[in-house]
Amino acid sequence: MIDVEANLKTVADSLPEDVKLVAVSKFHPDEYIEAAYAAGQRLFGESREQELQKKAAVLPKDIRWHFIGHLQTNKVKYIAPYISMIEAVDSMKLLREINRQGEKCGRIINCLLELHIAEEATKTGLRLDDCRALLADGEWRSLKNVRLCGLMMMASNVDDEQQIGSEFDTAWHFFDEVKAAYFADDNAFCERSWGMSHDYRIAIRHGATIVRVGTAIFGPRVY
Ligand SMILES: *Cc1c(COP(=O)(O)O)cnc(C)c1O
């Protein structure tokens, strides 16, 4: 078995104190999560609703789960009762459903808006102009069971560190823009979730407050 504890320590030690580490455990067995948990990790990320359900049912209750994948609206109800944050919200329709399910279980659900900045056509998320339009429309203000906590994005999957850094900067500037326009008095809107195994070191130099690291902790995923 891969040395989860040593890998976790290496990653955690390289982060500034105020950057949160989401250990991305998707596709990895419960034992890997338990090993990270035993080493003190409490924040984990999953990207498939059914897999998360199974894990959340049997693993320690003080784990905070972030949903980091694309979430279908018809799946929101299953995770609404316990999810700590839904990171990849990319439509008003999804936000409305999260609000509806949050209301049903008496929770205010933390959400990040996912930006699409990378060049790849396959990446999900809101284009900057679409995100501007969503916020300008203002309907989100009426969603009392949703708390917008910031932005999330994935950089292009390239080796060019400069390109990656400049994509993070684009997201960071955009964060400052919407923070000033809509969330200046809202302390909850403070998170910038970017950086994965291959680029989290770059991300922390470019404004990340949350990094989502899987492979560097748990090894390669077996799909
Ligand atoms: C899988 C995944 C990660 C982690 O990727 P690694 O390269 O294994 O660190 C981070 N963010 C999202 C959205 C993911 O889907």
Side-chain angles (χ1 to χ4, degrees):
M1 178 168 155
I2 172 157
D3 194 341
V4 168
E5 186 177 351
N7 293 346
L8 180 68
K9 188 172 181 338
T10 303
V11 175
D13 285 353
S14 70
L15 299 177
E17 245 174 61
D18 51 354
V19 173
K20 299 181 198 66
L21 172 62
V22 175
V24 176
S25 49
K26 65 188 187 194
F27 292 94
H28 292 297
D30 294 351
E31 298 78 66
Y32 282 36
I33 300 174
E34 283 162 351
Y37 182 91
Q41 181 68 19
R42 292 293 179 272
L43 189 53
F44 291 86
E46 289 284 335
S47 61
R48 297 186 306 173
E49 170 273 321
Q50 279 197 340
E51 181 179 351
L52 172 56
Q53 288 290 96
K54 281 196 194 128
K55 288 174 171 172
V58 298
L59 289 162
K61 294 301 169 210
D62 63 338
I63 286 182
R64 284 171 284 127
W65 298 101
H66 280 206
F67 198 87
I68 62 169
H70 181 72
L71 181 59
Q72 290 172 273
T73 46
N74 63 345
K75 301 286 171 61
V76 175
K77 58 176 173 288
Y78 300 117
I79 64 170
Y82 65 89
I83 198 73
S84 175
M85 184 176 278
I86 299 177
E87 289 210 17
V89 177
D90 63 356
S91 73
M92 200 56 216
K93 181 174 169 232
L94 179 56
L95 206 57
R96 277 186 210 114
E97 178 61 12
I98 294 169
N99 186 63
R100 208 167 73 91
Q101 297 302 334
E103 202 176 342
K104 272 194 185 169
C105 50
R107 299 187 70 218
I108 299 176
I109 299 179
N110 296 321
C111 294
L112 303 180
L113 296 174
E114 184 189 6
L115 300 177
H116 176 141
I117 288 171
E119 284 171 358
E120 285 108 284
T122 52
K123 295 257 158 92
T124 53
L126 292 156
R127 297 275 180 190
L128 299 190
D129 276 340
D130 294 332
C131 190
R132 284 190 184 98
L134 184 154
L135 291 169
D137 170 74
E139 184 192 339
W140 59 273
R141 293 182 196 276
S142 69
L143 305 180
K144 299 301 179 208
N145 293 80
V146 159
R147 182 183 295 117
L148 289 182
C149 297
L151 304 174
M152 174 271 200
M153 58 85 80
M154 272 184 277
S156 294
N157 188 13
V158 294
D159 292 329
D160 182 349
E161 297 209 353
Q162 229 152 349
Q163 180 182 343
I164 293 169
S166 102
E167 291 179 3
F168 290 150
D169 283 345
T170 299
W172 194 2
H173 290 145
F174 186 78
F175 175 93
D176 289 343
E177 174 192 323
V178 298
K179 174 79 181 165
Y182 300 102
F183 302 99
D185 299 324
D186 182 354
N187 291 334
F189 193 91
C190 64
E191 303 294 2
R192 297 178 293 269
S193 176
W194 44 83
M196 306 166 45
S197 290
H198 73 286
D199 59 12
Y200 75 87
R201 291 178 197 79
I202 307 171
I204 57 182
R205 297 197 301 270
H206 295 265
T209 63
I210 297 175
V211 294
R212 309 175 310 264
V213 179
T215 310
I217 298 170
F218 298 112
R221 286 177 285 278
V222 181
Y223 293 105

